[in-house]
Amino acid sequence: MPAPTSPGGALRLLIVAPPLAGHLLPARALALAWAARGHRVAWVGPESALRPVLGPDAVVHPTGARLFREQAVGGAAAVRSLWDGFVVPHTRFTLGAVRRAVEQWRPDVVLVDQHSPAGALASHGAGVRWASFAPSSLEIGDPPFGDCELASWRDEVLHGLWERAGLPAAEFTDPRFSPGLVIAPTCRELAGLDRVPAEYALVGPLLADRPEPPFPWDRLAPGRRRVLVTMGTLSAEVAGDFLHRAAAALTELPDVQAVVAGPPDAALPPGAVACDRVPVLELLERGAVDAVLCHGGMNTAVESLVHGRPLVVAPIRHDQPVTAGRLAALGAAVRVDFATATSGELRAALRSVLDDPSFRAAAQLLGRQLLAGGGTVSAVERLERFARAPR
């Protein structure tokens, strides 16, 4: 059966996103839904990073790849280093390639990840309409950590990128926020917004089938509750000591089995199931875990919530402290300190989310609020309307 075509004919979408799985996975879900309505989609980025996530059939305009500076671990320093060490140099490195992609692909609309400002700069310069994509909580709502000085510093950085791109100063637009459409896979409650601007589309989770790694399902012990422990691929270099403390905490919870995403030499409690990569979404869909211990990244948090699972969050950097604070305030998680939480504190936090039904009830409520956003269907419909709107 041919794919349904949206009224008005096919539209061309160009997606500009950083080469990070946490940003690419929700964008991929949107892209698949866009293509299912008969539209066309292309990407801009380093093929070495995009292909493993997008697959061999995706249209990719390559930018080449380069290494970027290591980023700080926590707080405002992590935000500064994210921009200084990655976003700004990545924007400068890719801007020429993004401009060529806009010229060659001739998109009706460009979807620009907030951490890939090159997409906004290139689109504005070419007179092509662009929408923002906000898969992270870092750029939505109040200044990070309530730090107005940090916000002012970032504003200067953004004006510098605009000027360096040769765009007229009088036309400056924050490249993180399209004046016409901002798509975010969150909800008002999780985003911490009292008022949702008209151009915001808070669509909730953007999920799609994805290749999952093999997993030894037969090693899951019947009759035991389970905790998924995952600190994310980008945190592997700093998570070792935390995983030791988590393993000690879980060792003292004999009725709980751990499922750990970690290297073969990771610290493990007795009876744990550990793999370098675990099928997080499939574990949640099967109801195979009762709670999640993680760093508070948006993808893991949202996927846990839409399946009604409470969390223990140990944020490390970037948007994780923001998300962790909101989850704790909403009663769906216990927040612990990544650097200093003892095994006893981790054990108590896990006991709370496993034994106190209020945490699961709060997670289920937040999951329903997220799902009410409409997901990929709502995102694509808003993007279509934006692309077709009179200029």
Side-chain angles (χ1 to χ4, degrees):
M1 178 182 295
T5 301
S6 175
L11 296 166
R12 298 166 73 90
L13 172 68
L14 183 67
I15 300 178
V16 186
L20 305 171
H23 294 243
L24 292 172
L25 285 173
R28 171 183 175 271
L30 188 155
L32 291 173
W34 179 264
R37 291 171 71 89
H39 302 313
R40 299 184 66 188
V41 60
W43 300 74
V44 186
E47 284 205 80
S48 58
L50 269 58
R51 285 289 174 206
V53 177
L54 305 180
D57 298 328
V59 177
V60 176
H61 295 260
T63 61
R66 57 166 288 183
L67 295 176
F68 295 97
R69 292 203 307 267
E70 183 60 34
Q71 295 162 37
V73 170
V79 177
R80 286 179 181 267
S81 68
L82 169 65
W83 282 82
D84 272 344
F86 175 73
V87 175
V88 170
H90 181 68
T91 298
R92 293 173 178 171
F93 176 69
T94 60
L95 181 56
V98 176
R99 281 174 163 160
R100 288 191 294 274
V102 170
E103 180 182 357
Q104 294 167 8
W105 182 249
R106 299 171 62 192
D108 296 285
V109 62
V110 180
L111 184 66
V112 181
D113 188 289
Q114 288 186 315
H115 288 159
S116 289
L121 302 176
S123 300
H124 183 89
V128 175
R129 71 177 73 206
W130 57 281
S132 296
F133 185 54
S136 157
S137 59
L138 193 58
E139 314 299 335
I140 294 289
D142 296 328
F145 321 116
D147 190 334
C148 293
E149 182 181 344
L150 178 63
S152 296
W153 169 83
R154 191 168 49 189
D155 286 344
E156 291 182 11
V157 170
L158 293 167
H159 277 85
L161 287 173
W162 188 272
E163 180 181 356
R164 187 182 178 94
L167 299 175
E171 297 177 7
F172 176 79
T173 300
D174 188 331
R176 298 172 301 158
F177 295 100
S178 163
L181 178 62
V182 178
I183 298 175
T186 186
C187 61
R188 182 184 63 80
E189 295 80 6
L190 187 55
L193 296 175
D194 295 327
R195 182 187 67 85
V196 180
E199 70 273 16
Y200 278 30
L202 305 184
V203 299
L206 296 173
L207 303 175
D209 289 340
R210 62 196 189 209
E212 295 277 28
F215 185 77
W217 297 98
D218 59 326
R219 291 180 55 195
L220 297 182
R224 294 176 70 185
R225 291 182 295 179
R226 301 187 194 96
V227 171
L228 171 64
V229 181
T230 173
M231 300 306 290
T233 54
L234 289 183
S235 304
E237 73 279 8
V238 296
D241 180 61
F242 179 85
L243 291 176
H244 275 87
R245 285 175 275 138
L250 286 158
T251 297
E252 298 180 22
L253 298 173
D255 59 323
V256 176
Q257 183 181 28
V259 178
V260 181
D265 58 349
L268 299 174
V273 180
C275 304
D276 277 333
R277 295 178 59 240
V278 300
V280 173
L281 196 54
E282 190 174 0
L283 283 162
L284 291 164
E285 289 172 345
R286 291 192 184 195
V289 295
D290 299 275
V292 177
L293 171 59
C294 68
H295 54 20
M298 276 294 286
N299 281 354
T300 303
V302 167
E303 290 171 4
S304 301
L305 293 169
V306 299
H307 291 92
R309 295 300 183 263
L311 304 100
V312 173
V313 283
I316 303 173
R317 55 190 169 196
H318 303 162
D319 65 328
Q320 297 160 10
V322 177
T323 303
R326 290 174 185 160
L327 290 171
L330 293 166
V334 173
R335 178 178 179 173
V336 297
D337 190 281
F338 171 77
T340 65
T342 65
S343 61
E345 290 170 337
L346 290 170
R347 182 181 68 251
L350 288 166
R351 265 296 173 223
S352 293
V353 299
L354 287 167
D355 294 347
D356 184 342
S358 68
F359 287 98
R360 176 166 287 208
Q364 291 171 338
L365 173 60
L366 197 46
R368 291 193 295 272
Q369 292 165 336
L370 284 162
L371 290 170
T376 55
V377 172
S378 179
V380 168
E381 288 177 349
R382 284 292 297 268
L383 197 55
E384 283 179 340
R385 290 200 298 272
F386 177 64
R388 298 192 194 282
R391 304 255 346 187

